[in-house]
Amino acid sequence: MENQFIQLQAKRRTIYALGKKLPQANSELVTLIETAIKNAPSAFNNQTTRAVILFNHYHDDLWDMTADRLKSEVPTEAAYQKTLEKLAGFKAAYGTILYFTDTAVVKQNETDFPLYAANFADWSEQAQGNAQYSVWTALAENGIGANLQHYNPLIDDQVAQAYDIPENWRLRGQMPFGSIEAAAGDKGFMADADRFKIFE
């Protein structure tokens, strides 16, 4: 059986040590990210995922505003310094992808297909996962590292104001990406017997 995709899955890892040394032009990265999202599946092909791609000072601004916002949330100065160190790692990356769900599309689907209305919010989250995984794997295929963060909803208001985000876009995740400065560690797996059931 073919296993090229399986090999790509194994190549996709959470990379925290990111840098700015990418050979690709911004336009190439934008095309890669947009194409991966467009080809990711969604229920009813409702295409609820939206993305904002940040480069240069726009990327830096995101992590600076996140640091400012978290200052009031972290209980001690020592803990805040550790938080700043973590955020500095994200800021050291080349860029960041902000993932959103268009809630207007979700609500419209709930109205248009009342029989499935209770499912569309869940399905939009599945679409998010599909889009994020597609991008992450496409980046990995090109030797680009990434990780996925979730500072939403704490930074939602700041992000909306800074990047002119429509009111109906709900922030779902932040993906810093860049050159791989240090590889991920070994990845462990739970026992197959605890995870899978096979009937034949």
Side-chain angles (χ1 to χ4, degrees):
M1 295 179 70
E2 296 290 337
N3 67 358
Q4 184 178 359
F5 180 68
I6 300 298
Q7 292 172 359
L8 284 175
Q9 286 187 298
K11 191 173 182 179
R12 184 227 55 83
R13 298 295 308 280
T14 295
I15 306 294
Y16 288 113
L18 297 171
K20 300 186 184 296
K21 301 188 292 287
L22 291 184
Q24 296 89 351
N26 288 358
S27 59
E28 293 177 289
L29 295 166
V30 167
T31 297
L32 180 72
I33 292 163
E34 290 180 345
T35 304
I37 291 173
K38 287 192 286 188
N39 284 290
S42 59
F44 286 61
N45 192 33
N46 58 17
Q47 303 173 55
T48 51
T49 300
R50 306 286 180 265
V52 173
I53 306 168
L54 306 175
F55 298 107
N56 301 310
H57 77 85
Y58 297 102
H59 158 79
D60 292 343
D61 291 347
L62 171 73
W63 298 109
D64 288 341
M65 74 176 72
T66 302
D68 290 342
R69 177 65 184 85
L70 290 178
K71 188 169 181 62
S72 62
E73 302 295 327
V74 180
T76 67
E77 183 59 31
Y80 183 60
Q81 289 307 312
K82 288 184 178 180
T83 297
L84 290 179
E85 290 174 17
K86 187 176 181 182
L87 295 174
F90 305 142
K91 185 177 177 180
Y94 185 84
T96 301
I97 307 162
L98 301 176
Y99 292 95
F100 298 84
T101 292
D102 189 335
T103 59
V105 177
V106 175
K107 290 175 183 175
Q108 188 62 53
N109 277 279
E110 290 170 348
T111 299
D112 292 346
F113 305 99
L115 183 62
Y116 305 106
N119 299 106
F120 282 106
D122 288 341
W123 288 341
S124 72
E125 290 297 281
Q126 292 171 5
Q128 273 292 331
N130 289 334
Q132 293 167 12
Y133 185 72
S134 296
V135 171
W136 206 339
T137 306
L139 291 172
E141 183 179 22
N142 287 276
I144 301 168
N147 60 71
L148 186 62
Q149 302 303 314
H150 299 92
Y151 288 101
N152 45 288
L154 287 174
I155 62 171
D156 286 12
D157 292 343
Q158 288 84 353
V159 165
Q161 183 174 0
Y163 306 112
D164 193 26
I165 303 301
E167 208 173 289
N168 48 297
W169 288 21
R170 182 183 177 209
L171 184 60
R172 306 309 300 135
Q174 306 85 49
M175 182 179 283
F177 64 90
S179 53
I180 299 173
E181 302 301 315
D186 292 336
K187 184 175 182 177
F189 296 93
M190 64 187 293
D192 287 355
D194 296 331
R195 194 171 198 172
F196 307 111
K197 289 183 179 290
I198 313 297
F199 297 88
E200 56 184 351

